[in-house]
Amino acid sequence: MSRPSEEHHQDHDYADSRWEQRQEWTVEEHEAGERIDKFLTDALEEDTSRTQVQQWIKDGCATVDGRTVKPNYKLNAGEALSLLIPEPKELEVTAEPIPLDVVYEDSDLIVVNKPRGLVVHPAVGHYKGTLVNGLLYHCKDLSGINGVMRPGIVHRIDKDTSGLLMAAKNDLAHSGLAAQLKVHSVNRKYVALVHGNVPHDTGTIDAPIGRDPRDRKLYTVTERNSKHAVTHFLVLERFGDYTLMELKLETGRTHQIRVHMKFIGHPLVGDPAYGPSKSKGVMMEGQALHAAVLGFDHPRTGEHLEFEAPIPEDMRRLIDVLKLR
C-alpha cells in the first residue's frame, strides 16, 4: 500500500498540527476485495472505531477515485482512496478526575510521569480515560494549538510506555517547547530492556522509518515514504540473553525506539507488536520501555529544567529477576 500524501504528521512530536486532516492511499493487489470501512479502520490510529469510520463514509468524507461509496464497498487494486477526517466539535473531550503523578508544574507547563497503560490523548470515537482528560481536570486550561483532541500535547509516548511527558498550558509555552523539539534540543532519554546481548557498549541507529507495507498499523525501517530517524544508545547492564539500555532520542517518530531496536535485532521485552512471539519465560504487560529523563529550556524564562522518573515497579522487578539468574 502506498501513502502518497498525508497532510497531518503522526509523529510523537506535535509541532503545530490540526486534527482535521486528509489522508490518501492507493489500493494494492493484495488489498483488493477488502471492504472500505475495514481498510480505513486498519489504516488509522488504533483508537479510531469502525463505527466512526462508517459514519465518515456515509457523510461523504471518503472517496474512491473521486466518488463517494457505501461502507461495504469492496476495493479494487489501483483505486485511489481519500479520507478527510473532520475536526471534532468543541465539547467532545471532557475533564475527568484521573490521578496524575505531577513531577513539575507552573503557570505555563506541566510535566507528568505517565503510567504504563494510559493513552495520552483521545481519538475519534474514544474520548474518555486518557491523560488529556486528566490534564483538563487538573489544569482547567491547556494550549489550543493542537485542537480539541490534543490540547497542550507537544509530544507523546505510547500507551504501554511509561515515563515523563510535558504539556503546555498556553500557546506561548506550546510554541516554545515545540520549537525545541523541532531542532532536537530537548533531552529525552529512555531506559529499555531488550532481547539479546547487545555487542557494542554505545552506538547510533540512523535509519528512516515509515509505514510497514505489510501491516498498516505498524512501522518499519524503509526508504519508501519514510522520515529521518536517529536513536543513540548506551548499554547499562547485560544479563546473558537480555540487555538493559539507555536510549536517547534525536528525532521523535512514531514507535521509533521499538522499530529501531527490532531493526538491529534486539526488540524490546514485552513488545506486543515488534517483539518476538516467544519470550523465553520473561513476561511483561506492554514493552519494557520507560521515558526516564526529560530536559528542556523553560519557554518563558529560558531556565534549563531537567527531570528524572524512576523505573516503574513492574520493570524493576523484572530486572531484579534477571540479575539473580
Side-chain angles (χ1 to χ4, degrees), residues 190-209:
Y190 289 69
V191 175
L193 184 65
V194 305
H195 287 276
N197 191 314
V198 178
H200 303 288
D201 290 340
T202 62
T204 296
I205 308 165
D206 186 344
I209 291 175

Side-chain angles (χ1 to χ4, degrees), residues 272-294:
Y274 301 100
S277 57
K278 295 182 180 180
S279 63
K280 300 179 182 179
V282 175
M283 299 291 291
M284 263 198 73
E285 291 295 326
Q287 58 270 5
L289 182 63
H290 176 66
V293 176
L294 179 64

Side-chain angles (χ1 to χ4, degrees), residues 162-187:
S162 59
L164 296 171
L165 185 83
M166 58 186 174
K169 292 186 177 182
N170 53 62
D171 289 359
L172 180 148
H174 195 129
S175 297
L177 294 173
Q180 293 178 60
L181 284 165
K182 188 173 183 180
V183 298
H184 313 310
S185 64
V186 176
N187 186 25

Side-chain angles (χ1 to χ4, degrees), residues 16-308:
D16 184 8
S17 59
R18 299 168 299 126
W19 179 254
E20 185 179 59
Q21 55 180 293
R22 181 181 297 280
Q23 297 192 37
E24 297 179 354
W25 301 263
T26 299
V27 181
E28 298 191 351
E29 288 287 348
H30 69 277
E31 297 163 332
E34 188 171 347
R35 283 175 54 127
I36 186 174
D37 57 350
K38 182 179 185 303
F39 180 103
L40 290 174
T41 303
D42 290 346
L44 297 171
E45 291 190 23
E46 293 179 6
D47 292 329
T48 305
S49 70
R50 190 162 177 174
T51 300
Q52 179 62 71
V53 169
Q54 290 171 340
Q55 188 59 55
W56 285 335
I57 297 170
K58 292 174 183 177
D59 291 343
C61 298
T63 60
V64 177
D65 286 343
R67 68 184 189 281
T68 57
V69 296
K70 294 181 179 180
N72 63 354
Y73 176 81
K74 292 186 177 180
L75 298 166
N76 298 296
E79 288 180 324
L81 176 57
S82 176
L83 174 67
L84 178 65
I85 300 177
E87 188 172 358
K89 297 176 182 177
E90 284 295 320
L91 299 177
E92 289 184 326
V93 180
T94 58
E96 296 179 58
I98 296 171
L100 300 177
D101 181 2
V102 178
V103 177
Y104 173 84
E105 183 177 11
D106 61 24
S107 59
D108 291 306
L109 59 93
I110 182 170
V111 176
V112 298
N113 182 18
K114 186 189 83 67
R116 191 183 325 282
L118 182 64
V119 175
V120 170
H121 59 73
V124 176
H126 298 267
Y127 301 116
K128 297 182 179 180
T130 73
L131 178 65
V132 161
N133 296 102
L135 286 172
L136 287 170
Y137 184 89
H138 178 87
C139 300
K140 311 305 178 188
D141 194 23
L142 295 168
S143 164
I145 284 179
N146 276 340
V148 184
M149 305 297 275
R150 297 175 175 135
I153 300 301
V154 186
H155 68 125
R156 68 177 178 128
I157 53 181
D158 295 333
K159 172 186 174 183
D160 289 323
T161 298
S162 59
L164 296 171
L165 185 83
M166 58 186 174
K169 292 186 177 182
N170 53 62
D171 289 359
L172 180 148
H174 195 129
S175 297
L177 294 173
Q180 293 178 60
L181 284 165
K182 188 173 183 180
V183 298
H184 313 310
S185 64
V186 176
N187 186 25
R188 289 180 288 176
K189 293 181 180 178
Y190 289 69
V191 175
L193 184 65
V194 305
H195 287 276
N197 191 314
V198 178
H200 303 288
D201 290 340
T202 62
T204 296
I205 308 165
D206 186 344
I209 291 175
R211 291 276 187 174
D212 188 335
R214 295 168 296 182
D215 188 333
R216 292 189 291 269
K217 285 189 177 296
L218 301 182
Y219 292 81
T220 190
V221 170
T222 177
E223 295 292 339
R224 183 182 182 188
N225 294 325
S226 59
K227 293 182 179 180
H228 180 57
V230 178
T231 305
H232 307 282
F233 70 82
L234 168 69
V235 169
L236 299 176
E237 199 166 353
R238 295 182 175 90
F239 313 106
D241 291 335
Y242 300 90
T243 304
L244 186 66
M245 306 182 71
E246 178 185 272
L247 298 144
K248 179 177 172 59
L249 284 180
E250 183 171 314
T251 56
R253 309 307 181 197
T254 301
H255 298 177
Q256 177 172 318
I257 288 175
R258 299 165 67 186
V259 171
H260 271 174
M261 295 315 297
K262 178 184 178 181
F263 176 66
I264 66 169
H266 297 283
L268 299 182
V269 169
D271 193 326
Y274 301 100
S277 57
K278 295 182 180 180
S279 63
K280 300 179 182 179
V282 175
M283 299 291 291
M284 263 198 73
E285 291 295 326
Q287 58 270 5
L289 182 63
H290 176 66
V293 176
L294 179 64
F296 55 89
D297 294 337
H298 193 285
R300 188 179 297 274
T301 67
E303 178 189 3
H304 185 73
L305 303 174
E306 189 135 327
F307 307 97
E308 293 188 32

